Amino acid sequence: ILGGPPGHVKGGALTLPHNSGYSIMTGCKHKWDPKEFFMFKVLDRTLSYTVDLSKVGCGCNLALYMVQAPGLDIAGNPSVGDCEDDSPYYCDANKVCGQWCPEMDIMEANIKAFQATPHSCDAPTPTGHYNNCDRSGCGLSTRDIPNSYGPGDTFQIDTTKPFDVETTWQANNMITKLVQGASIVTLDHSNCGASLGG
């Protein structure tokens, strides 16, 4: 179940307007329930989807990511954090709503660049509370692979057209493949070490 404002699902496609987002939940209630955030089990699995970024211009960021919600207070209790009205219980590796937790940026992209970034955190306290995370993470970007990604047919991935994304998680690695016809661009996080450990 998707929780969050605006957007719609139709025919297997999720459409989101500017400045919106969804959380994936196991149930649907009038108020957010911290026990209902869906926890994906990704090890030895692949997440694949088709994306159309042709209208996501430079300066915009279409993001798909996972966080270890709900954020927990020092006693280990679910904490609504600083974003109670918009996104209660939210946490991430940049402490956006005042709470730390591991974050896995699967896609941060627009028509000019695609980046994937795992973020690690220091070990949690015995109650599961995080005190610090790696804000920068271990990002890999198409900007570092010449002619790999951009608008037009001179690029391996022409972002004026839809393309497929395949992200596979293995022990100590996250591999992202961008696929369009016979063209494949790979972001291999095998050198990221601790960032993949959570």
mmCIF file of all heavy atoms in Angstrom, residues 17 29 61 72 80 103 141 168:
data_model
loop_
_atom_site.group_PDB
_atom_site.id
_atom_site.type_symbol
_atom_site.label_atom_id
_atom_site.label_comp_id
_atom_site.label_asym_id
_atom_site.label_seq_id
_atom_site.Cartn_x
_atom_site.Cartn_y
_atom_site.Cartn_z
ATOM 1 N N PRO A 17 3.712 13.923 -9.219
ATOM 2 C CA PRO A 17 3.961 15.315 -9.584
ATOM 3 C C PRO A 17 5.183 15.849 -8.833
ATOM 4 O O PRO A 17 5.706 15.197 -7.927
ATOM 5 C CB PRO A 17 2.687 16.025 -9.142
ATOM 6 C CG PRO A 17 2.154 15.183 -8.040
ATOM 7 C CD PRO A 17 2.572 13.768 -8.337
ATOM 8 N N LYS A 29 -4.294 2.917 7.170
ATOM 9 C CA LYS A 29 -5.049 3.491 8.286
ATOM 10 C C LYS A 29 -5.135 5.000 8.096
ATOM 11 O O LYS A 29 -4.372 5.584 7.322
ATOM 12 C CB LYS A 29 -4.357 3.160 9.609
ATOM 13 C CG LYS A 29 -4.349 1.680 9.914
ATOM 14 C CD LYS A 29 -3.715 1.379 11.244
ATOM 15 C CE LYS A 29 -3.781 -0.114 11.502
ATOM 16 N NZ LYS A 29 -2.936 -0.520 12.588
ATOM 17 N N ASN A 61 15.453 16.398 -9.271
ATOM 18 C CA ASN A 61 15.947 15.098 -8.833
ATOM 19 C C ASN A 61 14.762 14.165 -8.615
ATOM 20 O O ASN A 61 13.981 14.370 -7.690
ATOM 21 C CB ASN A 61 16.752 15.257 -7.538
ATOM 22 C CG ASN A 61 17.162 13.928 -6.930
ATOM 23 O OD1 ASN A 61 17.194 12.898 -7.586
ATOM 24 N ND2 ASN A 61 17.475 13.955 -5.646
ATOM 25 N N LEU A 72 13.879 5.894 15.365
ATOM 26 C CA LEU A 72 13.711 5.516 16.770
ATOM 27 C C LEU A 72 14.382 6.530 17.683
ATOM 28 O O LEU A 72 15.485 7.010 17.381
ATOM 29 C CB LEU A 72 14.316 4.128 17.025
ATOM 30 C CG LEU A 72 13.749 2.975 16.193
ATOM 31 C CD1 LEU A 72 14.497 1.684 16.508
ATOM 32 C CD2 LEU A 72 12.257 2.810 16.431
ATOM 33 N N VAL A 80 8.204 10.396 15.762
ATOM 34 C CA VAL A 80 7.673 11.080 14.582
ATOM 35 C C VAL A 80 8.690 12.028 13.977
ATOM 36 O O VAL A 80 8.597 12.375 12.806
ATOM 37 C CB VAL A 80 6.354 11.835 14.871
ATOM 38 C CG1 VAL A 80 5.248 10.867 15.220
ATOM 39 C CG2 VAL A 80 6.536 12.880 15.936
ATOM 40 N N GLU A 103 20.325 4.509 4.759
ATOM 41 C CA GLU A 103 19.616 4.925 3.544
ATOM 42 C C GLU A 103 20.294 4.300 2.332
ATOM 43 O O GLU A 103 21.518 4.230 2.263
ATOM 44 C CB GLU A 103 19.657 6.450 3.450
ATOM 45 C CG GLU A 103 19.086 7.033 2.194
ATOM 46 C CD GLU A 103 19.184 8.556 2.159
ATOM 47 O OE1 GLU A 103 19.571 9.180 3.168
ATOM 48 O OE2 GLU A 103 18.879 9.125 1.103
ATOM 49 N N SER A 141 28.075 7.736 -10.269
ATOM 50 C CA SER A 141 27.267 8.541 -11.162
ATOM 51 C C SER A 141 27.648 8.325 -12.619
ATOM 52 O O SER A 141 28.822 8.090 -12.944
ATOM 53 C CB SER A 141 27.450 10.024 -10.814
ATOM 54 O OG SER A 141 26.792 10.841 -11.751
ATOM 55 N N THR A 168 20.690 -4.806 -8.414
ATOM 56 C CA THR A 168 20.864 -6.121 -7.784
ATOM 57 C C THR A 168 21.724 -5.956 -6.543
ATOM 58 O O THR A 168 22.759 -5.281 -6.576
ATOM 59 C CB THR A 168 21.541 -7.104 -8.765
ATOM 60 O OG1 THR A 168 20.720 -7.216 -9.933
ATOM 61 C CG2 THR A 168 21.725 -8.474 -8.131
#
